[in-house]
Amino acid sequence: MTITPEEFTRAMARVPAPVTVATTVDASGRKWGFTGSSFSSVSLTPPLVLICLGRTASTHEAFTTARSFMINILAEGQADIARRFAASGTDRFAAGDTVPMELGLPGIPEAVARVACSLHRVVDGGDHSVLIGRVVAAHAGEDAPLVHCDRSFQRPVPVAGMVRGAAVR
């Protein structure tokens, strides 16, 4: 039995995912960024995360050859930033909502969280490259994250009895 790309895409669209903007700066000082939802922690020791990037993306070479990169986990009100960093043929940094943050990388101050990484490894992921980063600095905020599910941006529904990630007893 073989699954079609359409069936696979339809099934994966049902899986809620965080909305992130990954950023880096190349050797010439040019800023690069993309919107990604395939983001996850990998390991606690050492602290590793992953984000996936399409091999045909205009940002692919910049990220796969970068010494470091940052992943900004967006807040619920930042869908416009996600759309801009997903668009082709535009200056994704023109709005001025990124500033030098951890490691001097372009960061979004109002992001729910930021993780600054050194590039640990690039792994073949079919039509994508899996960028594995070793986290060297992190920041966590208090806002609700932006989530992508069913092909739209959403705010996660709070779980009854939960306060800031801890169960109320």
Side-chain angles (χ1 to χ4, degrees), residues 92-154:
R92 297 169 179 169
F93 294 91
D97 43 19
T98 63
V99 296
M101 303 295 288
E102 293 82 5
L103 301 182
L105 292 164
I108 300 170
E110 298 81 18
V112 169
R114 291 184 306 275
V115 289
C117 305
S118 61
L119 184 62
H120 179 73
R121 183 170 297 146
V122 178
V123 178
D124 179 13
D127 60 359
H128 281 64
S129 289
V130 181
L131 306 175
I132 300 175
R134 184 179 186 126
V135 179
V136 296
H139 167 78
E142 297 292 326
D143 294 332
L146 182 63
V147 173
H148 195 258
C149 186
D150 287 332
R151 296 183 170 88
S152 66
F153 295 118
Q154 302 178 13

Short mmCIF file of all heavy atoms in Angstrom, two decimals, residues 92-154:
data_model
loop_
_atom_site.label_atom_id
_atom_site.label_comp_id
_atom_site.label_asym_id
_atom_site.label_seq_id
_atom_site.Cartn_x
_atom_site.Cartn_y
_atom_site.Cartn_z
N ARG A 92 12.12 40.07 4.03
CA ARG A 92 11.46 39.56 5.23
C ARG A 92 11.81 40.36 6.48
O ARG A 92 11.11 40.29 7.48
CB ARG A 92 11.81 38.08 5.41
CG ARG A 92 11.30 37.24 4.26
CD ARG A 92 11.84 35.84 4.27
NE ARG A 92 11.28 35.10 3.15
CZ ARG A 92 11.70 33.93 2.77
NH1 ARG A 92 12.70 33.33 3.41
NH2 ARG A 92 11.14 33.31 1.75
N PHE A 93 12.90 41.11 6.43
CA PHE A 93 13.36 41.88 7.58
C PHE A 93 12.99 43.36 7.51
O PHE A 93 13.31 44.12 8.40
CB PHE A 93 14.88 41.72 7.74
CG PHE A 93 15.29 40.31 8.07
CD1 PHE A 93 15.60 39.41 7.07
CD2 PHE A 93 15.35 39.88 9.39
CE1 PHE A 93 15.96 38.11 7.37
CE2 PHE A 93 15.72 38.58 9.70
CZ PHE A 93 16.02 37.69 8.70
N ALA A 94 12.30 43.78 6.44
CA ALA A 94 12.00 45.20 6.22
C ALA A 94 11.12 45.82 7.29
O ALA A 94 11.22 47.02 7.55
CB ALA A 94 11.35 45.38 4.85
N ALA A 95 10.27 45.05 7.94
CA ALA A 95 9.35 45.60 8.94
C ALA A 95 10.07 46.04 10.22
O ALA A 95 9.49 46.76 11.03
CB ALA A 95 8.26 44.58 9.28
N GLY A 96 11.31 45.61 10.40
CA GLY A 96 12.08 46.03 11.55
C GLY A 96 11.69 45.38 12.87
O GLY A 96 12.03 45.89 13.93
N ASP A 97 10.97 44.24 12.81
CA ASP A 97 10.56 43.60 14.07
C ASP A 97 11.58 42.58 14.56
O ASP A 97 11.34 41.90 15.55
CB ASP A 97 9.17 42.98 13.96
CG ASP A 97 8.94 42.22 12.66
OD1 ASP A 97 9.92 41.86 11.99
OD2 ASP A 97 7.77 42.02 12.32
N THR A 98 12.73 42.48 13.89
CA THR A 98 13.82 41.66 14.41
C THR A 98 14.96 42.59 14.82
O THR A 98 15.21 43.60 14.15
CB THR A 98 14.34 40.63 13.38
OG1 THR A 98 14.88 41.33 12.27
CG2 THR A 98 13.25 39.68 12.94
N VAL A 99 15.59 42.25 15.90
CA VAL A 99 16.74 43.02 16.39
C VAL A 99 17.80 42.03 16.85
O VAL A 99 17.48 40.87 17.14
CB VAL A 99 16.34 43.96 17.56
CG1 VAL A 99 15.35 45.02 17.10
CG2 VAL A 99 15.78 43.18 18.73
N PRO A 100 19.05 42.46 16.94
CA PRO A 100 20.07 41.54 17.43
C PRO A 100 19.73 41.07 18.86
O PRO A 100 19.47 41.87 19.74
CB PRO A 100 21.35 42.38 17.42
CG PRO A 100 21.09 43.44 16.39
CD PRO A 100 19.62 43.74 16.52
N MET A 101 19.70 39.78 19.03
CA MET A 101 19.38 39.18 20.33
C MET A 101 20.52 38.24 20.71
O MET A 101 21.66 38.55 20.45
CB MET A 101 18.03 38.45 20.26
CG MET A 101 16.84 39.31 19.83
SD MET A 101 16.38 40.65 20.93
CE MET A 101 15.66 39.79 22.28
N GLU A 102 20.19 37.08 21.26
CA GLU A 102 21.19 36.10 21.68
C GLU A 102 22.16 35.82 20.52
O GLU A 102 21.74 35.67 19.38
CB GLU A 102 20.51 34.81 22.14
CG GLU A 102 19.69 34.95 23.41
CD GLU A 102 18.28 35.50 23.21
OE1 GLU A 102 17.84 35.71 22.05
OE2 GLU A 102 17.60 35.75 24.21
N LEU A 103 23.44 35.76 20.84
CA LEU A 103 24.54 35.55 19.88
C LEU A 103 24.58 36.61 18.79
O LEU A 103 25.23 36.42 17.75
CB LEU A 103 24.44 34.16 19.22
CG LEU A 103 24.47 32.94 20.12
CD1 LEU A 103 24.42 31.66 19.29
CD2 LEU A 103 25.71 32.94 21.01
N GLY A 104 23.86 37.72 18.96
CA GLY A 104 23.82 38.76 17.94
C GLY A 104 22.94 38.41 16.75
O GLY A 104 22.92 39.12 15.75
N LEU A 105 22.21 37.30 16.85
CA LEU A 105 21.35 36.86 15.74
C LEU A 105 20.05 37.66 15.72
O LEU A 105 19.58 38.13 16.75
CB LEU A 105 21.03 35.37 15.90
CG LEU A 105 22.23 34.44 15.70
CD1 LEU A 105 21.92 33.05 16.24
CD2 LEU A 105 22.61 34.38 14.23
N PRO A 106 19.44 37.80 14.52
CA PRO A 106 18.16 38.51 14.45
C PRO A 106 17.10 37.75 15.25
O PRO A 106 16.82 36.59 14.98
CB PRO A 106 17.82 38.49 12.96
CG PRO A 106 19.08 38.11 12.25
CD PRO A 106 19.89 37.32 13.23
N GLY A 107 16.54 38.43 16.23
CA GLY A 107 15.53 37.81 17.08
C GLY A 107 14.27 38.67 17.13
O GLY A 107 14.30 39.85 16.82
N ILE A 108 13.20 38.05 17.55
CA ILE A 108 11.92 38.73 17.69
C ILE A 108 11.69 38.88 19.19
O ILE A 108 11.40 37.89 19.88
CB ILE A 108 10.79 37.92 17.01
CG1 ILE A 108 11.12 37.78 15.51
CG2 ILE A 108 9.44 38.60 17.23
CD1 ILE A 108 10.23 36.81 14.76
N PRO A 109 11.82 40.11 19.72
CA PRO A 109 11.74 40.31 21.17
C PRO A 109 10.44 39.80 21.80
O PRO A 109 10.47 39.30 22.92
CB PRO A 109 11.86 41.83 21.33
CG PRO A 109 12.56 42.28 20.10
CD PRO A 109 12.12 41.35 19.01
N GLU A 110 9.32 39.88 21.09
CA GLU A 110 8.04 39.47 21.66
C GLU A 110 7.72 37.99 21.41
O GLU A 110 6.60 37.54 21.68
CB GLU A 110 6.90 40.33 21.09
CG GLU A 110 7.02 41.80 21.43
CD GLU A 110 7.99 42.55 20.50
OE1 GLU A 110 8.31 42.03 19.41
OE2 GLU A 110 8.46 43.63 20.89
N ALA A 111 8.65 37.23 20.89
CA ALA A 111 8.42 35.80 20.66
C ALA A 111 8.17 35.10 21.99
O ALA A 111 8.65 35.53 23.04
CB ALA A 111 9.61 35.17 19.95
N VAL A 112 7.40 34.02 21.96
CA VAL A 112 7.13 33.22 23.15
C VAL A 112 8.42 32.64 23.71
O VAL A 112 8.61 32.56 24.92
CB VAL A 112 6.14 32.08 22.81
CG1 VAL A 112 6.03 31.09 23.93
CG2 VAL A 112 4.78 32.66 22.47
N ALA A 113 9.30 32.24 22.82
CA ALA A 113 10.60 31.70 23.21
C ALA A 113 11.57 31.90 22.05
O ALA A 113 11.15 32.03 20.90
CB ALA A 113 10.50 30.22 23.58
N ARG A 114 12.84 31.93 22.40
CA ARG A 114 13.90 31.99 21.40
C ARG A 114 14.97 30.98 21.82
O ARG A 114 15.29 30.89 23.01
CB ARG A 114 14.55 33.38 21.33
CG ARG A 114 13.67 34.47 20.77
CD ARG A 114 14.43 35.79 20.64
NE ARG A 114 15.06 36.21 21.89
CZ ARG A 114 14.43 36.91 22.85
NH1 ARG A 114 13.17 37.26 22.72
NH2 ARG A 114 15.10 37.27 23.94
N VAL A 115 15.50 30.25 20.86
CA VAL A 115 16.63 29.38 21.13
C VAL A 115 17.71 29.70 20.10
O VAL A 115 17.47 29.67 18.90
CB VAL A 115 16.27 27.88 21.13
CG1 VAL A 115 15.44 27.53 22.34
CG2 VAL A 115 15.55 27.47 19.88
N ALA A 116 18.87 30.07 20.61
CA ALA A 116 20.02 30.35 19.75
C ALA A 116 20.88 29.10 19.72
O ALA A 116 21.16 28.50 20.77
CB ALA A 116 20.81 31.54 20.30
N CYS A 117 21.27 28.70 18.53
CA CYS A 117 21.94 27.42 18.34
C CYS A 117 23.21 27.55 17.52
O CYS A 117 23.28 28.36 16.60
CB CYS A 117 21.03 26.46 17.57
SG CYS A 117 19.40 26.21 18.28
N SER A 118 24.16 26.70 17.82
CA SER A 118 25.26 26.47 16.89
C SER A 118 24.81 25.29 16.02
O SER A 118 24.10 24.41 16.49
CB SER A 118 26.55 26.15 17.63
OG SER A 118 26.41 24.98 18.40
N LEU A 119 25.19 25.32 14.76
CA LEU A 119 24.80 24.24 13.86
C LEU A 119 25.54 22.97 14.27
O LEU A 119 26.77 22.93 14.26
CB LEU A 119 25.10 24.58 12.40
CG LEU A 119 24.64 23.56 11.37
CD1 LEU A 119 23.13 23.36 11.41
CD2 LEU A 119 25.09 23.97 9.98
N HIS A 120 24.78 21.96 14.69
CA HIS A 120 25.36 20.70 15.16
C HIS A 120 25.53 19.72 14.00
O HIS A 120 26.56 19.09 13.85
CB HIS A 120 24.45 20.12 16.24
CG HIS A 120 24.88 18.82 16.81
ND1 HIS A 120 25.95 18.70 17.66
CD2 HIS A 120 24.39 17.56 16.64
CE1 HIS A 120 26.10 17.43 18.01
NE2 HIS A 120 25.17 16.72 17.39
N ARG A 121 24.48 19.62 13.18
CA ARG A 121 24.50 18.67 12.07
C ARG A 121 23.36 18.98 11.11
O ARG A 121 22.32 19.47 11.51
CB ARG A 121 24.33 17.25 12.61
CG ARG A 121 24.42 16.18 11.54
CD ARG A 121 24.48 14.80 12.12
NE ARG A 121 25.72 14.68 12.91
CZ ARG A 121 25.84 13.95 14.00
NH1 ARG A 121 24.81 13.26 14.46
NH2 ARG A 121 26.99 13.89 14.65
N VAL A 122 23.56 18.66 9.83
CA VAL A 122 22.52 18.72 8.82
C VAL A 122 22.28 17.28 8.37
O VAL A 122 23.22 16.58 7.99
CB VAL A 122 22.92 19.60 7.61
CG1 VAL A 122 21.81 19.59 6.56
CG2 VAL A 122 23.24 21.02 8.07
N VAL A 123 21.03 16.84 8.46
CA VAL A 123 20.68 15.46 8.15
C VAL A 123 19.74 15.44 6.94
O VAL A 123 18.86 16.30 6.81
CB VAL A 123 19.98 14.79 9.37
CG1 VAL A 123 19.55 13.37 9.06
CG2 VAL A 123 20.90 14.83 10.58
N ASP A 124 19.94 14.46 6.07
CA ASP A 124 19.07 14.28 4.91
C ASP A 124 17.67 13.92 5.39
O ASP A 124 17.49 12.96 6.14
CB ASP A 124 19.64 13.18 4.02
CG ASP A 124 18.78 12.90 2.79
OD1 ASP A 124 17.87 13.70 2.48
OD2 ASP A 124 19.02 11.87 2.13
N GLY A 125 16.70 14.69 4.94
CA GLY A 125 15.31 14.42 5.27
C GLY A 125 14.45 14.36 4.03
O GLY A 125 13.40 15.01 3.97
N GLY A 126 14.91 13.65 3.00
CA GLY A 126 14.15 13.57 1.76
C GLY A 126 14.21 14.90 1.02
O GLY A 126 15.30 15.39 0.72
N ASP A 127 13.04 15.51 0.77
CA ASP A 127 13.03 16.79 0.08
C ASP A 127 13.32 17.97 1.01
O ASP A 127 13.27 19.12 0.62
CB ASP A 127 11.72 17.00 -0.67
CG ASP A 127 10.49 17.00 0.22
OD1 ASP A 127 10.61 16.81 1.45
OD2 ASP A 127 9.37 17.17 -0.32
N HIS A 128 13.63 17.66 2.27
CA HIS A 128 14.01 18.66 3.26
C HIS A 128 15.37 18.32 3.87
O HIS A 128 15.81 17.17 3.80
CB HIS A 128 12.98 18.72 4.40
CG HIS A 128 11.75 19.48 4.05
ND1 HIS A 128 10.88 19.09 3.07
CD2 HIS A 128 11.25 20.63 4.57
CE1 HIS A 128 9.89 19.95 2.99
NE2 HIS A 128 10.10 20.90 3.89
N SER A 129 16.00 19.32 4.44
CA SER A 129 17.17 19.10 5.28
C SER A 129 16.73 19.29 6.72
O SER A 129 15.93 20.20 7.01
CB SER A 129 18.29 20.10 4.96
OG SER A 129 18.84 19.82 3.70
N VAL A 130 17.20 18.44 7.60
CA VAL A 130 16.91 18.56 9.02
C VAL A 130 18.10 19.26 9.65
O VAL A 130 19.21 18.72 9.67
CB VAL A 130 16.68 17.18 9.67
CG1 VAL A 130 16.36 17.33 11.15
CG2 VAL A 130 15.57 16.42 8.94
N LEU A 131 17.87 20.49 10.13
CA LEU A 131 18.93 21.25 10.78
C LEU A 131 18.87 20.93 12.26
O LEU A 131 17.86 21.18 12.92
CB LEU A 131 18.71 22.75 10.59
CG LEU A 131 18.53 23.26 9.16
CD1 LEU A 131 18.20 24.73 9.17
CD2 LEU A 131 19.78 22.98 8.35
N ILE A 132 19.92 20.36 12.78
CA ILE A 132 19.99 20.07 14.21
C ILE A 132 20.91 21.10 14.83
O ILE A 132 22.06 21.27 14.41
CB ILE A 132 20.50 18.64 14.47
CG1 ILE A 132 19.55 17.62 13.83
CG2 ILE A 132 20.64 18.38 15.98
CD1 ILE A 132 20.02 16.19 13.91
N GLY A 133 20.37 21.82 15.80
CA GLY A 133 21.13 22.86 16.46
C GLY A 133 21.41 22.53 17.91
O GLY A 133 20.55 21.97 18.59
N ARG A 134 22.60 22.87 18.34
CA ARG A 134 22.96 22.73 19.75
C ARG A 134 22.61 24.06 20.42
O ARG A 134 23.17 25.10 20.08
CB ARG A 134 24.43 22.42 19.93
CG ARG A 134 24.78 22.18 21.38
CD ARG A 134 26.24 21.83 21.54
NE ARG A 134 26.47 21.48 22.92
CZ ARG A 134 27.04 20.36 23.33
NH1 ARG A 134 27.46 19.48 22.45
NH2 ARG A 134 27.20 20.11 24.61
N VAL A 135 21.68 24.03 21.35
CA VAL A 135 21.20 25.25 22.00
C VAL A 135 22.29 25.79 22.92
O VAL A 135 22.79 25.09 23.79
CB VAL A 135 19.90 24.99 22.77
CG1 VAL A 135 19.42 26.26 23.46
CG2 VAL A 135 18.81 24.45 21.83
N VAL A 136 22.64 27.06 22.69
CA VAL A 136 23.67 27.71 23.51
C VAL A 136 23.10 28.85 24.33
O VAL A 136 23.74 29.32 25.28
CB VAL A 136 24.87 28.18 22.65
CG1 VAL A 136 25.57 26.99 22.03
CG2 VAL A 136 24.44 29.17 21.59
N ALA A 137 21.88 29.30 23.99
CA ALA A 137 21.21 30.35 24.76
C ALA A 137 19.72 30.23 24.49
O ALA A 137 19.31 29.82 23.40
CB ALA A 137 21.71 31.73 24.36
N ALA A 138 18.92 30.55 25.49
CA ALA A 138 17.47 30.46 25.33
C ALA A 138 16.79 31.54 26.15
O ALA A 138 17.30 31.98 27.18
CB ALA A 138 16.97 29.08 25.74
N HIS A 139 15.61 31.93 25.70
CA HIS A 139 14.77 32.88 26.41
C HIS A 139 13.33 32.37 26.33
O HIS A 139 12.89 31.93 25.28
CB HIS A 139 14.84 34.26 25.77
CG HIS A 139 13.78 35.19 26.26
ND1 HIS A 139 13.87 35.82 27.48
CD2 HIS A 139 12.58 35.54 25.73
CE1 HIS A 139 12.77 36.55 27.67
NE2 HIS A 139 11.99 36.38 26.63
N ALA A 140 12.62 32.40 27.45
CA ALA A 140 11.21 32.00 27.47
C ALA A 140 10.37 33.15 28.00
O ALA A 140 10.69 33.74 29.03
CB ALA A 140 11.02 30.77 28.35
N GLY A 141 9.31 33.47 27.27
CA GLY A 141 8.37 34.51 27.68
C GLY A 141 7.12 33.90 28.30
O GLY A 141 7.08 32.71 28.60
N GLU A 142 6.10 34.72 28.45
CA GLU A 142 4.87 34.28 29.12
C GLU A 142 3.66 34.19 28.19
O GLU A 142 2.63 33.64 28.58
CB GLU A 142 4.54 35.26 30.26
CG GLU A 142 5.59 35.32 31.36
CD GLU A 142 5.67 34.03 32.16
OE1 GLU A 142 4.64 33.37 32.35
OE2 GLU A 142 6.79 33.69 32.57
N ASP A 143 3.74 34.72 26.98
CA ASP A 143 2.57 34.78 26.10
C ASP A 143 2.18 33.40 25.57
O ASP A 143 2.98 32.46 25.59
CB ASP A 143 2.83 35.71 24.93
CG ASP A 143 3.00 37.15 25.36
OD1 ASP A 143 2.42 37.52 26.40
OD2 ASP A 143 3.71 37.90 24.67
N ALA A 144 0.96 33.31 25.05
CA ALA A 144 0.49 32.07 24.43
C ALA A 144 1.14 31.92 23.06
O ALA A 144 1.31 32.90 22.33
CB ALA A 144 -1.03 32.09 24.29
N PRO A 145 1.50 30.69 22.68
CA PRO A 145 2.15 30.48 21.39
C PRO A 145 1.15 30.47 20.24
O PRO A 145 -0.03 30.20 20.41
CB PRO A 145 2.79 29.10 21.55
CG PRO A 145 1.90 28.40 22.52
CD PRO A 145 1.42 29.47 23.47
N LEU A 146 1.67 30.76 19.05
CA LEU A 146 0.91 30.62 17.82
C LEU A 146 1.08 29.17 17.35
O LEU A 146 2.18 28.63 17.37
CB LEU A 146 1.46 31.58 16.77
CG LEU A 146 0.76 31.63 15.42
CD1 LEU A 146 -0.69 32.09 15.57
CD2 LEU A 146 1.52 32.56 14.48
N VAL A 147 -0.03 28.55 16.95
CA VAL A 147 -0.02 27.16 16.52
C VAL A 147 -0.61 27.08 15.12
O VAL A 147 -1.52 27.85 14.78
CB VAL A 147 -0.85 26.29 17.50
CG1 VAL A 147 -1.00 24.87 17.00
CG2 VAL A 147 -0.19 26.30 18.87
N HIS A 148 -0.10 26.17 14.31
CA HIS A 148 -0.65 25.94 12.98
C HIS A 148 -1.30 24.56 12.96
O HIS A 148 -0.67 23.57 13.30
CB HIS A 148 0.46 26.01 11.92
CG HIS A 148 -0.06 26.15 10.55
ND1 HIS A 148 -0.13 25.10 9.68
CD2 HIS A 148 -0.55 27.22 9.90
CE1 HIS A 148 -0.63 25.52 8.53
NE2 HIS A 148 -0.89 26.80 8.63
N CYS A 149 -2.58 24.52 12.59
CA CYS A 149 -3.32 23.26 12.52
C CYS A 149 -4.46 23.43 11.53
O CYS A 149 -5.09 24.50 11.48
CB CYS A 149 -3.86 22.88 13.90
SG CYS A 149 -4.64 21.25 13.94
N ASP A 150 -4.75 22.42 10.76
CA ASP A 150 -5.81 22.47 9.75
C ASP A 150 -5.63 23.64 8.80
O ASP A 150 -6.58 24.33 8.43
CB ASP A 150 -7.20 22.52 10.40
CG ASP A 150 -7.61 21.19 10.99
OD1 ASP A 150 -7.14 20.15 10.48
OD2 ASP A 150 -8.39 21.19 11.96
N ARG A 151 -4.37 23.90 8.45
CA ARG A 151 -3.99 24.93 7.49
C ARG A 151 -4.36 26.36 7.92
O ARG A 151 -4.59 27.23 7.10
CB ARG A 151 -4.58 24.63 6.12
CG ARG A 151 -4.03 23.35 5.51
CD ARG A 151 -4.57 23.10 4.12
NE ARG A 151 -3.88 22.01 3.48
CZ ARG A 151 -4.24 20.73 3.58
NH1 ARG A 151 -5.26 20.39 4.31
NH2 ARG A 151 -3.56 19.80 2.96
N SER A 152 -4.41 26.58 9.23
CA SER A 152 -4.66 27.94 9.72
C SER A 152 -3.91 28.16 11.03
O SER A 152 -3.55 27.21 11.72
CB SER A 152 -6.16 28.19 9.92
OG SER A 152 -6.67 27.38 10.96
N PHE A 153 -3.68 29.43 11.34
CA PHE A 153 -3.04 29.79 12.59
C PHE A 153 -4.08 29.76 13.70
O PHE A 153 -5.20 30.22 13.52
CB PHE A 153 -2.41 31.18 12.50
CG PHE A 153 -1.29 31.25 11.51
CD1 PHE A 153 -1.38 32.08 10.41
CD2 PHE A 153 -0.15 30.48 11.67
CE1 PHE A 153 -0.34 32.16 9.50
CE2 PHE A 153 0.90 30.55 10.76
CZ PHE A 153 0.80 31.39 9.67
N GLN A 154 -3.69 29.23 14.87
CA GLN A 154 -4.61 29.10 15.98
C GLN A 154 -3.89 29.34 17.29
O GLN A 154 -2.67 29.26 17.36
CB GLN A 154 -5.22 27.69 16.00
CG GLN A 154 -5.95 27.33 14.72
CD GLN A 154 -6.49 25.92 14.74
OE1 GLN A 154 -6.54 25.26 15.77
NE2 GLN A 154 -6.92 25.44 13.59
#
